[in-house]
Amino acid sequence: MKHIINALVENKPGVLAHVAGMFAARGFNIDSLVVGRTEDPRFSRMTIVVIGDDRVLEQVRKQLAKIIPVVKVQDFSGQPVVTRDLMLITVAAPPEKRAELFAIIEVFRGHVVDIGPKSLTIEVSGPESKIEAFIDVCRPYGIKSLARTGTIAVPRQAGAEL
Amino acid sequence: MNSRITSQSGTRGQAQQESLTGAEIVVRTLLDLGVDTMFGYCGGVVLPLFDKLFDAPIRFIVPRHEQGGCHMADAYARASGKVGVVVATSGPGACNLVTGLATAMMDSSQVVALTGQVRTELIGNDAFQEADTTGITRPITKYNCLVKDVKDLERTIREAFYIASTGRPGPVLVDLPVDVEVARYHMGEPATIDLPGYKVRTKGHSRQIAMAAQAINQSERPVLYVGGGVITSNTSEQLRALARKANIPVTMTLMGLGSFDQTDPLSLDMLGMHGAAYANYAVQECDLLIAVGARFDDRVTGKVATFAPHAKVIHIDIDPASISKSVRVDIPVVGDARCILEELLEQVEHRPRTAWFEKIAQWKQRYPFAYDRNSPYIKPQYVIEEIWRQTRGQAIVTTGVGQHQMWTAQFYKFRHPRQLITSGGLGTMGFGLPAAIGAQIARPDALVIDIDGDHSFNMTMTELATAVEHNLPIKVCIMNNGYMGMVRQWQELFYGKRYSKSYLANPDYANVARALGAVGLTCEKKEEVPKVIEEMLRQERPCVVDFKVDRHENVWPMVPAGKSLNEMNGLDILERLI
Ligand SMILES: Cc1ncc(C[n+]2csc(CCOP(=O)(O)OP(=O)(O)O)c2C)c(N)n1
Ligand SMILES: [Mg+2]
């Protein structure tokens, strides 16, 4: 099962290597790991999607917390969260297919960020399932390249998806 | 969390606002932290530091190999309860610390390693003697860091000592580029530690403790299972009080030996793969297992699924990550063992548990540790028993790794904490001799004996020169079976007696000892054992005794890897011997 773990870490050299090394050394499975700055320049936030059962997750949380530059660990499993992935995807788009593609992009609330003679680059963000669905829809046109960020998440305040 | 390690000496006053080099800052900070002994080996990028150590009031021990130096610092820490400090140069020097750091890490020993590094602007350029020291040692240290700015130096060293010595202790490495050692900075008030991600929990949760007390008071068949955490947290007294008051038998891990007096009737001695049959049976049949400062290592639990199958499990540990890592725990109590046991002590009641103690007495009588006393050969167990007798069980004992280590654990009945210094977690051959040196430095008046294996001794015997140089009266008793005995035992039992590469020709150890300036003795006859030990104990210089022991002796009982604790081999052999 997939779990989203959020770790606030000190902005120090070697922290990413430490976290990644710990996951590798203990045989934990990372699905994705995103690091970025936070509102406080002293800290970064890591959002880690981990695959494993509850026992594995408990160890992941504890082993993360044990790393000294890791300040706080939160497990978002079983709690309402907003999750987002960002994807840039370049799809083959000969002129005769473009209208069709634009319609799809519209449905997915994506943006065209680059246009070439034979392709379009589209930016899509959303929960992972939406990104996957968009990839599936694009596949028949021919995917030329694809880059994804992995999941970031924050706890949800409102009761439902907005 | 903001806290500060307080000054332990008055050297600070004069340092106010002086401009100092990084190397001077290191030395002053070490003195301020109370360091009076260090181990280390010099090299290009630590020369500025060594220059400042030249006339510093610090006893400095130079090993013959940095691995030895790291084991010395580790054993110094284990024997004294203080932080052990080791210094090495960049590249090869730092790499030679690796085994020592991993050993300290696995056994939660408080070591601070200072390594030199190439100039900051050369880092990453494959400079001469450059190694990615923080990268290499990250998984084998509790914490490490590279100091890039002399402004951070004092704070970092204080943090290193604080992290190494608090919580679950462990080694910390600080990497010092040579330009930082020579850069100048003003030293003012003691730098304040700034570690927002490091919180040390001491007091246990009162509700959990109350639950633990209730479980203890209700238990018919409890067992205390204690590990090295009881020793590092100085909890032996509280442990004894708890065992006595609540009337609970105590079994120890290899690392826990010494935490509870093994001559006490409540002692069940060591448990696990080569533990006492009575300890293993007691664990398998208990209804309550109270783990204190122990981590359910696979050498202790055997097959996890069938470990202590009838027991409710209480786990008292400072490290939350140890809880429910391998064995499911019913009542976890996270915090300092001493605080927790003190609180627990007030809430437990005495219960006679007559049936339980009768059963234990039967096991003890039926399956004691045993060996063939009538053999014409020198049995290693006999040598260890005789050492115990002549030292009245009071020596500080270090070991290598192998059969001799297990026999030491089985036949030297430890009575005090910090009395056995052995590599339990990593199982590092070659630990014994440098550990004896570190322990002797920490405890100059104690009798320190390394009970070693021939092949373990081979790995670090060069450190005998260090012992001679400092005239340390350590004693090395080599249980010379001519084999990597533990490997030979496994090959005999599990590999059809194909003794692949487990035999090497050994030198004449008495001659080696003499060549290095120590006393060398040899013991070839069983009858001579007591006399030779007497002679050894009379020596005031380092002394090596080569005991030519039975080459084919095995360690019993033995729980084969992956079997349950009650599936011990060799019980029939033990039964025949008593
Ligand atoms: C550095 C290291 N290398 C290899 C091993 C694997 N090993 C464990 S015990 C052992 C044999 C030890 O031989 P010796 O020191 O003579 O002790 P004995 O078992 O004969 O008492 C070996 C090779 C180890 N523990 N440590
Ligand atoms: Mg041997």
Side-chain angles (χ1 to χ4, degrees):
Chain A
M1 194 187 154
K2 276 190 190 176
H3 296 260
I4 302 170
I5 301 255
N6 200 301
L8 190 69
V9 304
E10 279 188 85
N11 239 333
K12 281 188 178 167
V15 179
L16 177 59
H18 202 156
V19 169
M22 185 278 286
F23 272 82
R26 296 196 179 265
F28 300 142
N29 261 318
I30 302 184
D31 192 58
S32 70
L33 188 158
V34 183
V35 200
R37 274 176 257 165
T38 60
E39 65 283 2
D40 185 336
R42 289 178 303 156
F43 303 112
S44 296
R45 191 177 299 284
M46 290 189 183
T47 310
I48 309 165
V49 178
V50 189
I51 302 167
D53 58 22
D54 289 349
R55 258 185 66 112
V56 169
L57 251 284
E58 185 181 337
Q59 265 300 303
V60 168
R61 264 192 288 113
K62 288 173 169 176
Q63 293 295 345
L64 266 175
K66 198 167 160 175
I67 295 173
I68 285 165
V70 173
V71 179
K72 195 172 163 195
V73 180
Q74 279 175 289
D75 182 355
F76 285 158
S77 329
Q79 115 183 41
V81 282
V82 185
T83 65
R84 288 292 178 270
D85 268 46
L86 175 68
M87 171 170 69
L88 293 174
I89 183 169
T90 305
V91 182
E96 68 275 17
K97 296 277 168 90
R98 289 197 179 184
E100 209 177 304
L101 268 164
F102 281 131
I104 295 169
I105 294 164
E106 180 77 30
V107 171
F108 279 85
R109 286 192 272 169
H111 303 283
V112 176
V113 290
D114 190 27
I115 299 188
K118 291 185 200 140
S119 66
L120 291 176
T121 299
I122 306 139
E123 171 196 320
V124 188
S125 72
E128 201 186 359
S129 54
K130 175 178 157 188
I131 306 277
E132 298 289 348
F134 189 74
I135 295 171
D136 286 344
V137 177
C138 289
R139 197 163 278 128
Y141 297 91
I143 297 169
K144 300 192 137 181
S145 82
L146 185 162
R148 290 172 64 169
T149 57
T151 303
I152 55 170
V154 289
R156 180 180 289 287
Q157 313 292 325
E161 182 95 30
L162 299 180
Chain B
M1 180 205 58
N2 277 353
S3 49
R4 140 197 300 196
I5 286 199
T6 44
S7 294
Q8 294 189 3
S9 69
T11 54
R12 214 36 209 268
Q14 326 124 32
Q16 297 271 329
Q17 294 309 320
E18 263 176 83
S19 167
L20 301 174
T21 66
E24 284 168 329
I25 291 174
V26 172
V27 173
R28 293 229 186 160
T29 309
L30 293 176
L31 288 172
D32 200 45
L33 288 163
V35 172
D36 58 11
T37 306
M38 288 168 75
F39 304 85
Y41 209 94
C42 59
V45 296
V46 283
L47 285 177
L49 179 58
F50 273 70
D51 187 61
K52 296 304 165 205
L53 288 166
F54 186 64
D55 37 22
I58 291 178
R59 181 169 193 196
F60 202 96
I61 314 294
V62 180
R64 284 358 182 212
H65 185 292
E66 288 89 348
Q67 179 191 347
C70 199
H71 290 327
M72 289 173 200
D74 175 350
Y76 173 88
R78 297 194 207 196
S80 66
K82 293 194 264 182
V83 174
V85 186
V86 62
V87 191
T89 192
S90 63
C95 288
N96 276 350
L97 293 180
V98 164
T99 307
L101 291 171
T103 303
M105 181 73 172
M106 288 292 266
D107 290 345
S108 306
S109 180
Q110 42 187 1
V111 169
V112 168
L114 305 173
T115 48
Q117 185 52 278
V118 300
R119 282 205 312 280
T120 322
E121 86 256 20
L122 288 180
I123 291 176
N125 277 316
D126 302 320
F128 176 64
Q129 293 197 325
E130 181 185 358
D132 175 9
T133 303
T134 50
I136 291 168
T137 61
R138 195 168 289 124
I140 52 168
T141 50
K142 184 174 173 187
Y143 179 63
N144 72 16
C145 64
L146 171 71
V147 182
K148 282 190 167 167
D149 189 332
V150 67
K151 288 193 198 78
D152 302 326
L153 189 50
E154 185 200 344
R155 196 197 70 242
T156 307
I157 288 176
R158 287 182 188 279
E159 287 173 352
F161 274 71
Y162 181 67
I163 292 170
S165 60
T166 53
R168 178 174 176 177
V172 176
L173 181 140
V174 180
D175 206 18
L176 299 169
V178 63
D179 53 320
V180 174
E181 289 171 58
V182 296
R184 290 191 162 268
Y185 186 61
H186 290 281
M187 245 179 132
E189 281 298 296
T192 303
I193 286 174
D194 178 23
L195 296 165
Y198 185 62
K199 292 162 206 79
V200 179
R201 240 195 283 180
T202 46
K203 237 180 107 20
H205 200 295
S206 292
R207 218 194 44 207
Q208 297 295 100
I209 295 174
M211 276 168 66
Q214 193 187 22
I216 290 171
N217 293 337
Q218 286 171 353
S219 164
E220 297 289 338
R221 304 188 307 278
V223 170
L224 271 156
Y225 143 57
V226 306
V230 173
I231 295 172
T232 42
S233 62
N234 301 312
T235 309
S236 288
E237 250 173 64
Q238 288 75 5
L239 171 67
R240 187 179 54 215
L242 178 70
R244 292 263 173 84
K245 182 173 179 198
N247 201 25
I248 306 173
V250 182
T251 181
M252 287 159 273
T253 67
L254 178 63
M255 297 308 299
L257 288 175
S259 63
F260 190 78
D261 186 346
Q262 288 187 267
T263 61
D264 189 302
L266 285 174
S267 172
L268 294 177
D269 304 320
M270 183 172 76
L271 81 164
M273 180 177 273
H274 290 298
Y278 40 90
N280 289 343
Y281 281 135
V283 167
Q284 289 305 88
E285 300 218 354
C286 70
D287 65 1
L288 179 69
L289 189 71
I290 310 148
V292 188
R295 61 185 177 90
F296 298 86
D297 178 270
D298 55 281
R299 284 288 187 268
V300 160
T301 60
K303 188 172 165 190
V304 171
T306 50
F307 175 70
H310 314 294
K312 190 176 235 184
V313 179
I314 298 173
H315 191 181
I316 297 168
D317 208 288
I318 189 104
D319 180 7
S322 280
I323 289 180
S324 293
K325 186 169 70 179
S326 54
V327 168
R328 177 196 47 77
V329 171
D330 301 291
I331 309 176
V333 193
V334 177
D336 180 63
R338 185 152 53 149
C339 300
I340 294 167
L341 291 206
E342 270 166 8
E343 213 175 315
L344 197 53
L345 197 53
E346 291 166 14
Q347 302 175 37
V348 295
E349 294 151 13
H350 189 279
R351 288 191 54 178
R353 303 189 170 105
T354 323
W356 181 226
F357 280 103
E358 253 167 38
K359 200 160 196 185
I360 288 172
Q362 279 167 16
W363 286 322
K364 277 192 172 180
Q365 201 184 14
R366 186 154 176 206
Y367 309 109
F369 289 124
Y371 62 92
D372 181 5
R373 289 171 196 274
N374 301 318
S375 160
Y377 301 110
I378 302 178
K379 290 287 180 180
Q381 301 97 320
Y382 167 56
V383 178
I384 294 166
E385 265 187 354
E386 187 57 23
I387 296 172
W388 186 84
R389 197 183 62 78
Q390 291 200 27
T391 59
R392 295 183 306 285
Q394 300 291 343
I396 294 182
V397 176
T398 69
T399 75
V401 170
Q403 292 181 313
H404 64 281
Q405 180 190 30
M406 292 299 110
W407 288 318
T408 303
Q410 293 180 340
F411 288 89
Y412 200 100
K413 303 288 175 208
F414 293 93
R415 310 199 54 188
H416 310 291
R418 307 190 183 279
Q419 209 190 336
L420 172 64
I421 298 177
T422 189
S423 168
L426 198 68
T428 308
M429 286 172 71
F431 181 74
L433 174 59
I437 293 173
Q440 187 76 77
I441 301 270
R443 303 273 309 275
D445 300 325
L447 172 61
V448 179
I449 301 184
D450 168 25
I451 299 180
D452 221 331
D454 44 340
H455 291 290
S456 292
F457 182 73
N458 287 345
M459 286 202 172
T460 53
M461 63 180 165
T462 175
E463 299 302 345
L464 210 48
T466 313
V468 169
E469 181 196 340
H470 294 276
N471 200 22
L472 302 170
I474 56 161
K475 313 289 181 273
V476 181
C477 299
I478 302 174
M479 302 296 115
N480 185 357
N481 52 13
Y483 277 107
M484 301 173 194
M486 187 58 90
V487 172
R488 191 204 54 73
Q489 175 168 347
W490 282 55
Q491 289 171 331
E492 178 188 329
L493 300 176
F494 310 119
Y495 292 89
K497 303 194 178 178
R498 288 157 56 84
Y499 299 125
S500 181
K501 331 291 181 208
S502 55
Y503 168 85
L504 293 170
N506 280 327
D508 173 352
Y509 291 113
N511 265 333
V512 169
R514 283 180 219 122
L516 289 167
V519 177
L521 305 173
T522 307
C523 182
E524 283 171 306
K525 292 203 191 82
K526 187 181 172 184
E527 311 76 65
E528 290 172 354
V529 169
K531 205 178 72 219
V532 174
I533 293 174
E534 262 173 58
E535 193 180 346
M536 169 186 89
L537 292 175
R538 272 202 307 274
Q539 303 302 319
E540 283 168 8
R541 288 195 291 145
C543 175
V544 175
V545 189
D546 182 357
F547 290 96
K548 309 274 194 200
V549 299
D550 184 353
R551 308 193 52 196
H552 297 104
E553 183 63 327
N554 284 334
V555 185
W556 302 118
M558 176 175 194
V559 180
K563 295 274 187 192
S564 303
L565 275 192
N566 50 336
E567 298 176 87
M568 286 168 275
N569 288 351
L571 289 186
D572 48 333
I573 300 172
L574 292 179
E575 273 188 293
R576 261 184 274 121
L577 288 171
I578 49 169

